[in-house]
Amino acid sequence: MANEEGNSMTTPVGPLGIIAMRGCEEITDKVDKYLCEWRDDADQGTFQIESCCPRFSSGEGKGLIKKSVRGHDIFIICDVFNYGVKYKMYGMEVPMSPDDHFQDLKRIIAAAGGKARRITVIMPMLYEGRQHRRVSRESLDCATALQELAHMGVTNVITFDAHDPRVQNAVPLIGFDSVQPKYQMIKALVNTYPDIKIDREHLTIISPDEGGMSRCIYYSSVLGLDLGMFYKRRDYSKIVGGRNPIISHEYLGGSIEGKDVIIVDDIIASGDSVIDIAEQLKAKKVNRVFIFATFGLFTEGLSRFDEAYKKGLIEKVFTTNLVYRTDELKSKKWYREVDMSKYIAFIINTLNYDRSMSELLDPVKRINKLLGKLKK
């Protein structure tokens, strides 16, 4: 197996098994294809283990694994934000909520019956990840969910761009990794725009708020770019949709006139904030506005992004294929999908052979190699 990470083979922890929860079939098929190309120990040409979570007409469900997993090193891929998956309850077709997906995940873990040698959950966008801290009398849903998984025997949790990685403090005795898709984002930008000039005179990184500064500092330091930030002024006297509404965004940083800018964030929900920031950047006479967001939820639809694109506020939105994307979104001129399936395959292969993930988690070498090719 030719592995670009340069690791030699060792003995695997156990026979590899991959379980795709509902809605994750597409990306799991791609991951499985890579692993089958690299390895020769696939059972009948696949590492996937068939499972299902059938529902009764009342909405109750159960988990079923259709093959023995005794002694296996199991990886369960779960997208808890896939609202495109539906089930019938009392004759009605109901889209699955994050709660429904998480419950099905626990059903599959329970169906394994403790027979697997090890269970790793790959949950790209962490369940209840934005409910990670307590500011009043409220629940700590993310911490509770992680503790449930640990109690059920999960050994590792792999997530991407966690809203606050410190939530792992809730489960200090199991593995927890928050993987960043920085290399893949930069590679997608370079492939889409070969004319892009990555230097201080032509490109600037923008953080949409103070909470995303650490994410943006990495980009600016590795790429050698200046960094700007927007400060969110909120109305703390009101709560709208569970949050204090944003009054305005205030820019903090140097001159960006005539430059391309990259707004880097973890999530696009409604998109109001990022479009407002793009509008303010255009008022400061920037050139092109690119948006990097690990997860594109687009909870309020795509029309406001269509309008922003027509006005010239945004050039391209890059999001990963780690969560559900509609066919309509994929067809948009302003959208570019960043495929993470090969990266997930590397993670699974590395963990199955019980090797260090340090090089996978720190992509500086790959980014520098990519920049070297771009300069040539």
Side-chain angles (χ1 to χ4, degrees), residues 41-56:
D41 57 336
D43 184 9
Q44 298 180 351
T46 182
F47 290 103
Q48 294 193 59
I49 296 175
E50 190 177 354
S51 67
C52 65
C53 291
R55 296 266 177 169
F56 299 101

Side-chain angles (χ1 to χ4, degrees), residues 4 24 42 67 107 124 147 169 190 198 210 215 241 249 296:
E4 70 179 29
C24 292
K67 177 185 173 182
R107 289 182 173 117
Q147 288 175 353
N169 292 335
V190 169
I198 303 180
E210 60 276 18
R215 187 182 299 109
H249 292 91

Side-chain angles (χ1 to χ4, degrees), residues 147-210:
Q147 288 175 353
E148 282 189 83
L149 295 180
H151 180 71
M152 296 185 74
V154 171
T155 308
N156 299 297
V157 174
I158 306 294
T159 190
F160 286 77
D161 209 349
H163 195 65
D164 188 345
R166 290 174 296 183
V167 75
Q168 66 184 288
N169 292 335
V171 283
L173 299 182
I174 70 170
F176 182 99
D177 288 292
S178 177
V179 185
Q180 302 289 335
K182 298 182 178 79
Y183 168 72
Q184 289 77 11
M185 286 288 187
I186 297 169
K187 184 178 179 180
L189 175 68
V190 169
N191 289 341
T192 308
Y193 295 93
D195 66 318
I196 193 79
K197 294 181 179 179
I198 303 180
D199 56 46
R200 277 190 165 87
E201 288 71 37
H202 298 92
L203 187 63
T204 296
I205 301 296
I206 299 292
S207 176
D209 53 44
E210 60 276 18

Side-chain angles (χ1 to χ4, degrees), residues 14-111:
L16 177 58
I18 305 173
I19 296 177
M21 300 301 298
R22 288 188 66 190
C24 292
E25 294 85 358
E26 180 185 358
I27 193 168
T28 304
D29 286 343
K30 291 182 179 180
V31 170
D32 186 52
K33 184 179 179 182
Y34 281 118
L35 290 168
C36 289
E37 288 176 358
W38 300 338
R39 302 170 56 150
D40 56 8
D41 57 336
D43 184 9
Q44 298 180 351
T46 182
F47 290 103
Q48 294 193 59
I49 296 175
E50 190 177 354
S51 67
C52 65
C53 291
R55 296 266 177 169
F56 299 101
S57 57
S58 62
E60 299 166 283
K62 65 178 179 180
L64 176 64
I65 299 176
K66 301 183 179 181
K67 177 185 173 182
S68 172
V69 295
R70 185 179 292 276
H72 279 62
D73 190 15
I74 299 295
F75 292 81
I76 306 175
I77 301 177
C78 179
D79 174 15
V80 297
F81 291 87
N82 193 330
Y83 63 93
V85 180
K86 301 176 181 179
Y87 64 92
K88 283 197 171 182
M89 183 173 69
Y90 291 97
M92 299 178 292
E93 198 168 48
V94 182
M96 289 186 69
S97 69
D99 291 342
D100 290 323
H101 281 291
F102 187 68
Q103 196 65 30
D104 276 358
L105 170 64
K106 292 192 293 181
R107 289 182 173 117
I108 291 299
I109 295 171

Side-chain angles (χ1 to χ4, degrees), residues 134-153:
R134 179 176 285 152
V135 294
S136 64
R137 290 184 296 275
E138 57 185 12
S139 57
L140 289 171
D141 295 48
C142 189
T144 302
L146 289 173
Q147 288 175 353
E148 282 189 83
L149 295 180
H151 180 71
M152 296 185 74

Side-chain angles (χ1 to χ4, degrees), residues 67-323:
K67 177 185 173 182
S68 172
V69 295
R70 185 179 292 276
H72 279 62
D73 190 15
I74 299 295
F75 292 81
I76 306 175
I77 301 177
C78 179
D79 174 15
V80 297
F81 291 87
N82 193 330
Y83 63 93
V85 180
K86 301 176 181 179
Y87 64 92
K88 283 197 171 182
M89 183 173 69
Y90 291 97
M92 299 178 292
E93 198 168 48
V94 182
M96 289 186 69
S97 69
D99 291 342
D100 290 323
H101 281 291
F102 187 68
Q103 196 65 30
D104 276 358
L105 170 64
K106 292 192 293 181
R107 289 182 173 117
I108 291 299
I109 295 171
K115 303 300 189 297
R117 179 161 298 175
R118 187 174 68 177
I119 294 179
T120 298
V121 170
I122 299 177
M123 185 184 294
M125 186 171 173
L126 195 59
Y127 173 72
E128 294 290 0
R130 288 185 285 178
Q131 186 54 30
H132 60 96
R133 62 190 176 96
R134 179 176 285 152
V135 294
S136 64
R137 290 184 296 275
E138 57 185 12
S139 57
L140 289 171
D141 295 48
C142 189
T144 302
L146 289 173
Q147 288 175 353
E148 282 189 83
L149 295 180
H151 180 71
M152 296 185 74
V154 171
T155 308
N156 299 297
V157 174
I158 306 294
T159 190
F160 286 77
D161 209 349
H163 195 65
D164 188 345
R166 290 174 296 183
V167 75
Q168 66 184 288
N169 292 335
V171 283
L173 299 182
I174 70 170
F176 182 99
D177 288 292
S178 177
V179 185
Q180 302 289 335
K182 298 182 178 79
Y183 168 72
Q184 289 77 11
M185 286 288 187
I186 297 169
K187 184 178 179 180
L189 175 68
V190 169
N191 289 341
T192 308
Y193 295 93
D195 66 318
I196 193 79
K197 294 181 179 179
I198 303 180
D199 56 46
R200 277 190 165 87
E201 288 71 37
H202 298 92
L203 187 63
T204 296
I205 301 296
I206 299 292
S207 176
D209 53 44
E210 60 276 18
M213 280 297 288
S214 61
R215 187 182 299 109
C216 293
I217 288 171
Y218 184 94
Y219 277 101
S220 67
S221 61
V222 171
L223 299 178
L225 303 176
D226 290 331
L227 173 63
M229 185 193 85
F230 278 85
Y231 168 68
K232 290 180 180 179
R233 290 183 58 207
R234 293 183 180 272
D235 183 355
Y236 288 97
S237 67
K238 300 177 183 177
I239 295 179
V240 178
R243 309 184 76 180
N244 300 109
I246 298 169
I247 301 172
S248 65
H249 292 91
E250 307 290 342
Y251 177 68
L252 303 173
S255 174
I256 48 179
E257 183 176 345
K259 295 183 180 181
D260 292 331
V261 298
I262 303 174
I263 304 172
V264 182
D265 209 351
D266 56 344
I267 303 167
I268 292 178
S270 67
D272 287 342
S273 292
V274 74
I275 290 175
D276 181 50
I277 289 171
E279 191 170 10
Q280 291 197 45
L281 290 170
K282 278 294 183 179
K284 296 181 183 297
K285 299 180 181 181
V286 302
N287 187 21
R288 294 175 294 187
V289 176
F290 304 105
I291 300 170
F292 287 1
T294 307
F295 308 109
L297 303 182
F298 301 99
T299 56
E300 301 295 330
L302 306 175
S303 59
R304 61 193 66 193
F305 283 88
D306 290 335
E307 185 178 351
Y309 180 70
K310 288 179 182 177
K311 290 180 179 179
L313 299 180
I314 59 174
E315 175 71 20
K316 191 74 74 174
V317 177
F318 295 82
T319 77
T320 69
N321 62 339
L322 294 170
V323 293

